[in-house]
Amino acid sequence: MDLFTTAAGLLAYAETARRAGQRIGFVPTMGALHDGHLQLVRAAANDCDVVIASIFVNPTQFNNPEDFRLYPRLPETDADLLRSAGCTALFLPSVEEMYPQPAVLKFNFGALESVMEGAHRPGHFNGVATVVSKLFHLVRPHRAYFGQKDWQQVAVVKQLVADLSFDLEIVAYPTIREADGLAMSSRNRRLTPEERAVAPQLYQALAQAAEQVRQGMPPAQVQAGALATLAREPRFTPEYFEVADAQTLQPLTDYAPGRAVVLCLAVHLGAVRLIDNVIVSLG
Amino acid sequence: MDLFTTAAGLLAYAETARRAGQRIGFVPTMGALHDGHLQLVRAAANDCDVVIASIFVNPTQFNNPEDFRLYPRLPETDADLLRSAGCTALFLPSVEEMYPQPAVLKFNFGALESVMEGAHRPGHFNGVATVVSKLFHLVRPHRAYFGQKDWQQVAVVKQLVADLSFDLEIVAYPTIREADGLAMSSRNRRLTPEERAVAPQLYQALAQAAEQVRQGMPPAQVQAGALATLAREPRFTPEYFEVADAQTLQPLTDYAPGRAVVLCLAVHLGAVRLIDNVIVSLG
C-alpha cells in the first residue's frame, strides 16, 4: 500500500491510474477505523482496480472544538487495517496540506441541511462538502463509498455530485452494528464502560419506533414515544429524534403510500454525541 | 472541430485526450464571440494539445430574465470563428443537458461577492460558480482561460479553484477594446447606433480616473468625479463606479504603497447593461 501525505503525490498516483485505464475506488474517512469503514474498502477492492482511502480529521466540519480535539487518531493501526482490506493507497494529509489558506466560499444545501445534523451542527455540511470536493478533485475516483450511518451526509454528498456534475458514482452501504445493536462509530471508543453498556438502547429505541411506524402510528406519536423511552436513561441527553422522508429528510406529519421513511436520532451520552438511523421503508 | 451537445460525449472526448497524455485548454463562453474570446482560444491553442470551447448562455447567472432572453445567440458564426482560432472541440449543450434537475446547493463567496456585480446581480456568482464547476468536471482542463473584463468573475473563479482544490490553472487575459476604447462585449451588439456612439465614454471615464488615482487623488473624489462625468451623458444610468483593491475587490478609502488598484463600473445604456474596468496598478 502506498502512502501519500501531499496533494501533489496523490494527484500523480491518481493520474497514473487513470492513464492506465484503471478504475479508482475511494473511501474518505476520518480514521479510527471499524468494520463499517472496512466493508467500504472491501467493496471498493471488489469493484475497482485501485482503492484509495483518506484519513483526515477535517476541522471545518466540527462545530465543537472539543469533539475535534478528542476525535480518536490511530493512523498506524488504521494503515494495517486498510492494507488487509485491500486498500492500495492511503492519503494522510495535514490540515495545512488540505487548507493552505482558509476557504472563503460557503456551501448551502437549503432544506436538506436545515434539519437534524445541519440544524444542530452549524457549518457542518459546508465543511463536509468542501473537504469532499477537495478530495474528489485530488483522487478523481470513479466510485466513492460512504456509510449510511451518516444518512444526511450521504444525501448532501449525492446532491453535491448531482448539482456540480462530478463525474463519479456515490455508493452507500448499510450501517454495521455491534452484536448488541450499537452502530459502529469511531466515537464509541470514547464511551466509558457504563456508557457503552446503555448505548445499545439507542438502536432499540429506533427499532421499536420503526415497528410503530410500520403499524401506522402517527409520526408525532412515534417521536414523542421514542423521546420518552430515551428519557428513561438518565445518561442520555437527546438532541433530536425525527421521523423523516428518507429522500428530502424533512420531518413527516403523516405517511403517504410509497413514501420512503427514515428514523434518525442524535443523543449525547456523557461527553460523546452519537447518531444513528434506521430505514423503515425505501418507498 | 468536433461538436458535442451532450455531457457524455464531451466526457468521453476529454477522457480520451487525458489518457493520451494531451494537455486540455478550456475556454468557457456564452457565445456571440468577439476578439476578446478569440484571443483566449488562440492562447489555449498555443499552450495546449486540445482546445475545448463551450457556448452556453447559463440561465442561473442571469438575475434579469430579459437580459437572458435577449442575449445574442449565433452558434453557426461562433463555430466558424472557433475553428479558425484553433479550437478542436465545441460543447454546445441545452439547458436541460446542463441542468437535468434544478441545482439545490448555493455558493456564497462572502466579501468577494458583496460588492459590484455580486451586490447588483443577486445570485449571479452562485450561477457562475455552479456552471463553471460543472463545466470543469465535464472538460477536466489543465488550463482554463478567462477575460479580465469580468474582473470580479475571475476573482471568484480563482477562489473557487483554490477553495475546492480543482487541479487546474486559471489564466486571465486583458480586455480587448475597439479602436475607440469600448471594451468588446457580446452585449455591444444590442446597442443602437446612437448608444454605440457614446459608449466609448465609459472607457474614457475609467482612463481619466486611473490618471487621477496615479496622481494621488483620494478615492472618494475620483469616484464622485467619474460619476459626475458619466452623468453628463443622459443616455447613461450608472449603477456603480468603484475604486477597489484589485485582489479583495473591496472599495478603497485611501491608497497604501504596493496596493493593487482596479477601477470598475457598471452602466445602463438604453436597454443594455455594460461593465468595464481598468487596472491602475498590480501592487
Side-chain angles (χ1 to χ4, degrees), chain A residues 104-106 108 137 163-164, chain B residues 104-106 108 137 163-164:
Chain A
V104 167
L105 77 79
K106 303 272 184 217
N108 187 296
H137 289 146
D163 285 356
L164 301 189
Chain B
V104 167
L105 77 79
K106 303 273 185 216
N108 186 295
H137 289 145
D163 284 356
L164 300 189

Side-chain angles (χ1 to χ4, degrees), chain B residues 9-30:
Chain B
L10 180 62
L11 275 168
Y13 177 86
E15 179 72 12
T16 302
R18 280 262 175 183
R19 279 219 205 165
Q22 294 180 308
R23 282 180 65 80
I24 302 175
F26 176 45
V27 184
T29 83
M30 299 207 301

Side-chain angles (χ1 to χ4, degrees), chain A residues 199-251:
Chain A
Q201 293 178 34
L202 300 180
Y203 178 61
Q204 290 158 22
L206 284 165
Q208 184 181 33
E211 187 51 35
Q212 292 167 341
V213 171
R214 282 189 204 100
Q215 290 167 5
M217 186 186 286
Q221 199 178 329
V222 173
Q223 181 186 44
L227 288 169
T229 301
L230 294 169
R232 273 184 238 129
E233 169 49 58
R235 289 181 180 84
F236 291 152
T237 307
E239 208 168 81
Y240 63 79
F241 184 103
E242 297 291 350
V243 183
D245 181 294
Q247 260 79 61
T248 68
L249 309 183
Q250 302 310 296

Side-chain angles (χ1 to χ4, degrees), chain A residues 62 64-71 73 121 187 190:
Chain A
F62 284 83
N64 177 346
E66 271 298 274
D67 189 28
F68 174 66
R69 194 176 68 80
L70 296 174
Y71 201 90
R73 287 160 170 94
R121 303 181 67 185
R187 290 184 178 87
R190 293 179 48 212

Side-chain angles (χ1 to χ4, degrees), chain A residues 113-122 125 152 239:
Chain A
E113 65 161 311
S114 68
V115 294
M116 303 197 290
E117 295 302 285
H120 288 85
R121 303 181 67 185
F125 286 118
Q152 192 175 10
E239 208 168 81

Side-chain angles (χ1 to χ4, degrees), chain A residues 148 151 177 210 214 246 260-264 277-283:
Chain A
Q148 286 182 356
W151 184 265
R177 300 182 180 281
R214 282 189 204 100
V261 180
V262 65
L263 306 177
C264 300
N277 66 75
V278 161
I279 318 300
V280 181
S281 76
L282 280 171

Side-chain angles (χ1 to χ4, degrees), chain A residues 11 15 18-22 98-99 101-112 129-130 133-135 137-138 140 142 159-160 162-167, chain B residues 11 15 18-22 98-99 101-112 129-130 133-135 137-138 140 142 159-160 162-167:
Chain A
L11 275 167
E15 179 73 13
R18 281 261 175 184
R19 279 219 205 164
Q22 293 180 307
M98 287 301 285
Y99 297 99
Q101 65 282 317
V104 167
L105 77 79
K106 303 272 184 217
F107 284 102
N108 187 296
F109 290 88
L112 213 48
T130 302
S133 295
K134 282 173 171 278
L135 289 168
H137 289 146
L138 301 180
R140 293 215 281 105
H142 294 82
Q159 194 71 52
L160 173 74
D163 285 356
L164 301 189
S165 302
F166 276 97
D167 178 33
Chain B
L11 275 168
E15 179 72 12
R18 280 262 175 183
R19 279 219 205 165
Q22 294 180 308
M98 288 300 285
Y99 297 99
Q101 64 283 317
V104 167
L105 77 79
K106 303 273 185 216
F107 284 101
N108 186 295
F109 290 88
L112 213 49
T130 302
S133 295
K134 283 174 170 277
L135 290 168
H137 289 145
L138 301 179
R140 292 213 284 104
H142 294 82
Q159 193 71 52
L160 173 74
D163 284 356
L164 300 189
S165 302
F166 276 96
D167 179 32

